[in-house]
Amino acid sequence: MSKPEREINEKEKNRWRQLSFNLSEDESQILSIIRNQAPIDRANIIRQLKFSRAKTNGIINDLVDNNFIKIYGHGASSGGKRPQLLEINAEIGYVIGVDIGVTSMDVAIANFKGEILDVHGIESDIKDGPIAILQSMMDIIEDLKARNNMDSNQFVSIAIGVPGPVDVNTGEVKSPPLMPGWNDFPITEFIKSKLPNIKIIIDNDFNMMARGEYYSGIGKGHDLFVFVKIGTGIGAGIIINGDVFRGHEGSAGQIGHISVDWNGPRCICGVNQGCVSGMAAGPAITAKALKAVKENESEFLVKRYKENNNALSAKDVGDALADGDQTAIEIINESGTLIGLALSSLVNLLNPGLIVLGGGITKSGNLLLSSIRQTVLTRALPFSTRHLRIEYSSLGDKAGVTGAVILAIKNVECSYKDKMTV
Amino acid sequence: MSKPEREINEKEKNRWRQLSFNLSEDESQILSIIRNQAPIDRANIIRQLKFSRAKTNGIINDLVDNNFIKIYGHGASSGGKRPQLLEINAEIGYVIGVDIGVTSMDVAIANFKGEILDVHGIESDIKDGPIAILQSMMDIIEDLKARNNMDSNQFVSIAIGVPGPVDVNTGEVKSPPLMPGWNDFPITEFIKSKLPNIKIIIDNDFNMMARGEYYSGIGKGHDLFVFVKIGTGIGAGIIINGDVFRGHEGSAGQIGHISVDWNGPRCICGVNQGCVSGMAAGPAITAKALKAVKENESEFLVKRYKENNNALSAKDVGDALADGDQTAIEIINESGTLIGLALSSLVNLLNPGLIVLGGGITKSGNLLLSSIRQTVLTRALPFSTRHLRIEYSSLGDKAGVTGAVILAIKNVECSYKDKMTV
């Protein structure tokens, strides 16, 4: 006898407007169990916790009173009264998840269960700088709110993924090679000026995507796995014990600056030579395609170049590949091999059970995946690869916003923590 | 008013002979607090735990009754009775820590506080195979027991570090490139046949050393750091959140097989080319020195070669370096540069705050350290190196046995766990 989803009324709206959304560690622990295992009864929650029945029941009652959780229905009786089943109150508040890429931006709104209610994506250019990009983001949020009949006060949290290194504690982007003009820009203050009551958290795009795959995608159930984004740059979101691994100062996962040619060209990172990001990601693929056009090596690419008014993108190389173009096969195969070399170092160091590949370049098809697998299997220690799976993302373009929505919720639930670890 | 160390009597000896040393997770948690914070009173322990005062006191009383902990003395009164201060009972049992290297072996005995009581080291050759090496180890243990007036029943746990990949769950060495004849050898059964009542755990040497530095050396207080052993091979013990990070199947930390020359010579790992271990560790240093002798490039090394009856070791290169020999400077500098390249990939991936270098080759002096630092700082991302410390081990030759002693104790304290994570 499950209860129908409750309509949210004005009284409740006012109620959560007043909520601080500052939860204790104990409350957070209980919410997390309910989030992951709902519908669940009290006895089951008590069994999983170290604290007493009285304490657990007290916290649950408070969470029900404050509308964080609600009665889902009643379970089967095991002799006495039928037990209450609990679930997260999806409408306690809404969150915003944003994935800002180098050439695109996606914005999603979701309920407090993490269910995405609406999403909107646009093409954008990160080089337009923080004010233009963040204003576009605000415009999309306004549109999403309007078309879903919501108002700003209902949104309790926003998480934003960006294509560069982030100091998660300040929310500032730090010396980002692909984001000119963004260094140290006060993203958090900009958003606060538009949405004063919202919790804000900024993170690297590949960490967001790793989180999305861990909670909703192919990474589900894998407490140790690595998400590798292959786009304009290359970066890795490393999940260890279910958390994003950040390193000592938050800059872990920079696989794009592993060298695959120690005497190769200097990278835009300014220090290393032959970084895999510069040798194998989007711009390298485009540069090789342009060279092939100049040398008249590919009929397909020459035609596309002219159609595009003398321009090419990595997507064009993917189209050429789909058409069986030999030059495109060579270019993508080379990228896969180089990325495989960098991944072989990662595999030797971390011995992950699963590597998930995402980002725009993975749309070029299965050749890239195959080249990467082939190289890792012939370069990394056999003991570390015998059960290793390397797969494409199951969430595709949605990995970033999915992870951002989850982080926005976790940033409310884990507000007791000094540092965000999810 | 601290109590003098108690003499252990026959009754107690018989008592701990009967102990199963199988602790629950709750008991283990309390023991761990006492181990790390002794002398400590009950109120302080209760404050740190989630479970009730009654439960905590019950467990502490049991642990006192079973001699795991004892009364250290009494603290200052805060109004009422002066509180009892507790500490680990160092004599509840003894442990053995072993560090088997490619060319040496060290064996330590320690009390249950982890204080090393005696240690003995010999030169040995891992290629003599498991039976000869393990028999030597047993002989040393017998000597140590005899000269310290102890008997086998007093030893509750042994931990052994070996220079190759280990399946920690079975205690078997897996396809070890430097340990011919050891693959899948049942080390645990061999020891059980000699010491039937002892708990046994085997691990990679670099993990042992990392543990030693974390609990007693320069790594103390660093919940994220990397220990790199540079000896006959190169490997990294990675400490994350205070535990050794093992990866999906236990083979994490194989930094020695990161390539520093992607088209270089095939490595003994059988898969990769130009692995840093083959290019920069002990045997590579010796090979370069022998080549210099052949080409008559170094007076010092030629003389040493003749004195050694036409042989050279990495230690000779260290001696030449100390003498200012130009060839030795070049050889060690090259090793440092190559190790620095591999470490730059590690730093980009993991962003550790501290890298500790140990193993025989680090005895060659500060040039190696300087070359490694120089290369990491000019190759890894500046954001990840600005606060990075790279230091030599503070425990030196003792890092391995120190870590082994700690692991032996933890293997008793964490007996409730399916898998060892310390």
Side-chain angles (χ1 to χ4, degrees):
Chain A
M1 192 181 79
S2 84
K3 232 171 132 180
E5 192 90 332
R6 263 192 318 194
E7 282 299 312
I8 200 136
N9 60 34
E10 273 312 307
K11 192 175 143 236
E12 278 184 329
K13 274 195 187 174
N14 284 324
R15 173 160 207 136
W16 48 247
R17 267 178 210 146
Q18 292 151 18
L19 284 177
S20 72
F21 278 91
N22 280 320
L23 297 164
S24 72
E25 182 171 355
D26 296 339
E27 288 169 332
S28 168
Q29 217 177 324
I30 290 177
L31 267 187
S32 169
I33 291 176
I34 296 173
R35 177 178 304 288
N36 295 325
Q37 302 172 42
I40 183 172
D41 66 32
R42 285 164 188 251
N44 191 343
I45 297 170
I46 290 165
R47 261 198 305 282
Q48 297 178 49
L49 290 168
K50 288 247 175 211
F51 26 94
S52 71
R53 174 176 299 268
K55 179 175 169 183
T56 312
N57 269 321
I59 295 173
I60 292 176
N61 292 343
D62 269 1
L63 288 171
V64 172
D65 286 351
N66 282 302
N67 273 327
F68 276 97
I69 51 181
K70 61 178 195 174
I71 315 302
Y72 170 89
H74 289 81
S77 163
S78 57
K81 254 172 66 179
R82 295 175 60 194
Q84 269 182 357
L85 296 175
L86 303 167
E87 66 170 341
I88 296 286
N89 178 7
E91 279 77 30
I92 179 72
Y94 297 96
V95 301
I96 304 166
V98 182
D99 180 18
I100 298 179
V102 172
T103 59
S104 65
M105 170 168 21
D106 292 280
V107 182
I109 55 174
N111 65 26
F112 214 67
K113 267 188 181 171
E115 293 161 342
I116 291 180
L117 304 174
D118 201 353
V119 59
H120 186 70
I122 58 165
E123 294 198 353
S124 62
D125 187 347
I126 196 80
K127 289 196 290 292
D128 291 346
I131 292 174
I133 293 288
L134 293 174
Q135 191 51 57
S136 296
M137 179 189 84
M138 290 308 308
D139 293 344
I140 299 175
I141 292 172
E142 284 307 313
D143 285 351
L144 286 171
K145 270 161 42 185
R147 78 188 191 198
N148 289 278
N149 197 22
M150 292 169 166
D151 71 67
S152 292
N153 285 328
Q154 290 175 273
F155 289 91
V156 294
S157 185
I158 181 171
I160 304 170
V162 295
V166 175
D167 181 333
V168 182
N169 296 312
T170 66
E172 285 165 1
V173 176
K174 294 291 174 187
S175 313
L178 302 173
M179 300 173 72
W182 286 76
N183 189 41
D184 288 341
F185 183 84
I187 302 176
T188 304
E189 279 168 41
F190 182 95
I191 296 168
K192 275 235 175 298
S193 73
K194 316 279 175 174
L195 297 167
N197 297 317
I198 207 163
K199 276 184 190 285
I200 305 163
I201 186 161
I202 325 282
D203 200 355
N204 230 308
D205 55 356
F206 50 72
N207 286 339
M208 287 297 188
M209 292 170 182
R211 221 173 255 123
E213 291 291 342
Y214 178 67
Y215 283 93
S216 303
I218 197 172
K220 215 167 178 171
H222 288 82
D223 278 358
L224 167 63
F225 86 98
V226 178
F227 180 94
V228 180
K229 185 200 171 190
I230 310 166
T232 307
I234 299 177
I238 302 169
I239 301 278
I240 295 179
N241 293 330
D243 283 343
V244 168
F245 175 77
R246 302 195 167 281
H248 184 57
E249 297 194 281
S251 64
Q254 294 290 351
I255 191 179
H257 299 283
I258 286 186
S259 175
V260 289
D261 181 0
W262 295 102
N263 299 307
R266 187 155 301 271
C267 173
I268 51 166
C269 70
V271 280
N272 212 353
Q273 292 168 251
C275 294
V276 67
S277 193
M279 303 280 288
I285 290 172
T286 310
K288 287 173 196 172
L290 286 169
K291 186 164 172 281
V293 166
K294 226 177 210 168
E295 292 168 6
N296 209 16
E297 278 173 0
S298 155
E299 211 177 302
F300 187 102
L301 290 172
V302 168
K303 185 162 168 279
R304 182 63 66 93
Y305 178 77
K306 286 175 184 159
E307 285 167 11
N308 289 355
N309 293 320
N310 300 346
L312 277 180
S313 69
K315 191 185 166 301
D316 296 317
V317 180
D319 292 344
L321 183 66
D323 197 58
D325 180 77
Q326 193 57 38
T327 301
I329 291 174
E330 280 165 27
I331 292 173
I332 295 297
N333 198 40
E334 189 175 48
S335 275
T337 303
L338 294 171
I339 294 167
L341 292 180
L343 282 177
S344 71
S345 293
L346 178 147
V347 168
N348 283 337
L349 264 186
L350 297 183
N351 179 213
L354 172 68
I355 296 175
V356 179
L357 309 172
I361 305 301
T362 61
K363 291 185 198 163
S364 65
N366 280 327
L367 177 63
L368 183 78
L369 178 60
S370 169
S371 306
I372 290 173
R373 281 182 177 152
Q374 170 73 8
T375 307
V376 171
L377 289 178
T378 54
R379 287 287 194 158
L381 294 180
F383 190 74
S384 298
T385 56
R386 51 188 188 148
H387 297 129
L388 171 65
R389 281 171 58 206
I390 303 179
E391 307 286 351
Y392 274 164
S393 160
S394 60
L395 299 175
D397 286 343
K398 298 282 175 296
V401 288
T402 304
V405 158
I406 289 153
L407 183 61
I409 292 171
K410 290 277 166 185
N411 196 30
V412 174
E413 278 190 1
C414 298
S415 51
Y416 66 90
K417 281 189 183 172
D418 285 346
K419 278 191 186 178
M420 175 57 43
T421 57
V422 292
Chain B
M1 194 181 75
S2 83
K3 234 172 132 177
E5 194 90 333
R6 265 191 317 194
E7 282 299 312
I8 201 138
N9 60 33
E10 274 311 307
K11 190 174 144 238
E12 276 185 332
K13 272 197 188 173
N14 285 323
R15 173 160 208 136
W16 48 246
R17 268 180 208 142
Q18 292 149 19
L19 283 177
S20 72
F21 279 92
N22 279 320
L23 298 164
S24 71
E25 182 172 354
D26 295 341
E27 288 169 333
S28 168
Q29 216 178 326
I30 289 178
L31 268 188
S32 169
I33 290 176
I34 296 173
R35 177 177 305 286
N36 296 325
Q37 301 173 42
I40 181 172
D41 66 32
R42 285 165 189 253
N44 191 343
I45 297 170
I46 288 164
R47 261 198 305 281
Q48 297 179 48
L49 289 168
K50 289 249 175 209
F51 26 95
S52 71
R53 174 177 299 269
K55 179 176 168 182
T56 313
N57 270 319
I59 295 172
I60 291 176
N61 292 342
D62 269 0
L63 288 171
V64 172
D65 286 350
N66 281 302
N67 274 326
F68 276 97
I69 51 181
K70 62 179 196 174
I71 314 302
Y72 170 89
H74 290 82
S77 162
S78 58
K81 255 174 64 180
R82 293 176 61 195
Q84 267 182 357
L85 295 175
L86 303 167
E87 67 169 340
I88 295 287
N89 178 7
E91 280 77 29
I92 178 73
Y94 298 95
V95 301
I96 304 166
V98 183
D99 179 19
I100 298 180
V102 171
T103 59
S104 66
M105 169 167 25
D106 292 280
V107 181
I109 55 174
N111 65 24
F112 213 68
K113 265 186 181 171
E115 292 161 344
I116 291 180
L117 305 174
D118 201 354
V119 59
H120 186 70
I122 58 166
E123 292 198 354
S124 64
D125 187 346
I126 196 80
K127 290 195 290 292
D128 291 345
I131 292 174
I133 293 288
L134 294 174
Q135 191 51 58
S136 298
M137 178 189 83
M138 290 308 309
D139 293 344
I140 300 174
I141 292 173
E142 284 308 313
D143 286 352
L144 287 170
K145 269 160 43 184
R147 78 187 192 198
N148 290 279
N149 198 21
M150 291 170 167
D151 70 68
S152 292
N153 285 329
Q154 290 176 273
F155 289 92
V156 294
S157 184
I158 182 172
I160 304 170
V162 295
V166 174
D167 181 334
V168 183
N169 296 312
T170 67
E172 285 164 3
V173 177
K174 295 292 176 189
S175 316
L178 301 174
M179 301 174 72
W182 286 75
N183 189 42
D184 287 343
F185 182 85
I187 302 175
T188 305
E189 279 168 40
F190 182 94
I191 296 168
K192 277 234 173 298
S193 72
K194 316 278 176 178
L195 297 167
N197 298 317
I198 207 163
K199 276 183 191 284
I200 305 163
I201 187 160
I202 325 283
D203 201 356
N204 230 308
D205 54 357
F206 49 71
N207 285 339
M208 288 297 187
M209 293 170 181
R211 223 173 253 123
E213 291 292 342
Y214 178 67
Y215 282 93
S216 304
I218 197 171
K220 217 168 175 169
H222 288 83
D223 279 358
L224 166 64
F225 86 97
V226 178
F227 180 92
V228 180
K229 186 201 171 192
I230 309 166
T232 307
I234 299 176
I238 303 169
I239 301 276
I240 295 179
N241 292 330
D243 283 344
V244 168
F245 175 76
R246 301 195 167 281
H248 184 56
E249 297 194 281
S251 63
Q254 294 290 350
I255 190 180
H257 300 284
I258 286 186
S259 176
V260 289
D261 181 0
W262 294 101
N263 299 308
R266 186 155 300 271
C267 175
I268 51 167
C269 70
V271 280
N272 211 354
Q273 292 168 251
C275 293
V276 66
S277 193
M279 303 280 287
I285 290 172
T286 312
K288 287 174 196 171
L290 286 169
K291 186 164 173 281
V293 167
K294 225 176 209 168
E295 293 168 5
N296 208 17
E297 280 174 358
S298 154
E299 213 177 301
F300 186 102
L301 290 172
V302 168
K303 185 162 168 281
R304 182 62 66 92
Y305 178 76
K306 287 177 186 158
E307 284 167 11
N308 289 354
N309 294 320
N310 300 345
L312 277 179
S313 68
K315 190 183 167 302
D316 296 317
V317 181
D319 292 344
L321 183 66
D323 197 58
D325 180 77
Q326 193 57 38
T327 301
I329 292 174
E330 279 165 26
I331 292 173
I332 296 296
N333 198 39
E334 189 175 48
S335 275
T337 303
L338 294 171
I339 294 166
L341 291 180
L343 282 177
S344 72
S345 294
L346 179 147
V347 167
N348 282 337
L349 264 186
L350 297 182
N351 179 214
L354 172 67
I355 296 176
V356 179
L357 309 172
I361 304 302
T362 60
K363 291 183 199 164
S364 64
N366 280 327
L367 176 62
L368 183 78
L369 178 60
S370 168
S371 305
I372 290 173
R373 281 181 177 152
Q374 170 72 7
T375 308
V376 171
L377 290 178
T378 53
R379 287 288 195 158
L381 293 180
F383 189 74
S384 297
T385 57
R386 52 187 188 151
H387 296 129
L388 171 65
R389 282 172 57 205
I390 304 180
E391 307 286 352
Y392 274 165
S393 161
S394 60
L395 299 175
D397 285 343
K398 298 280 174 298
V401 288
T402 304
V405 158
I406 288 152
L407 184 60
I409 293 171
K410 290 276 165 186
N411 196 29
V412 175
E413 279 190 2
C414 300
S415 52
Y416 66 89
K417 279 191 185 173
D418 286 344
K419 278 191 187 178
M420 174 57 43
T421 55
V422 292

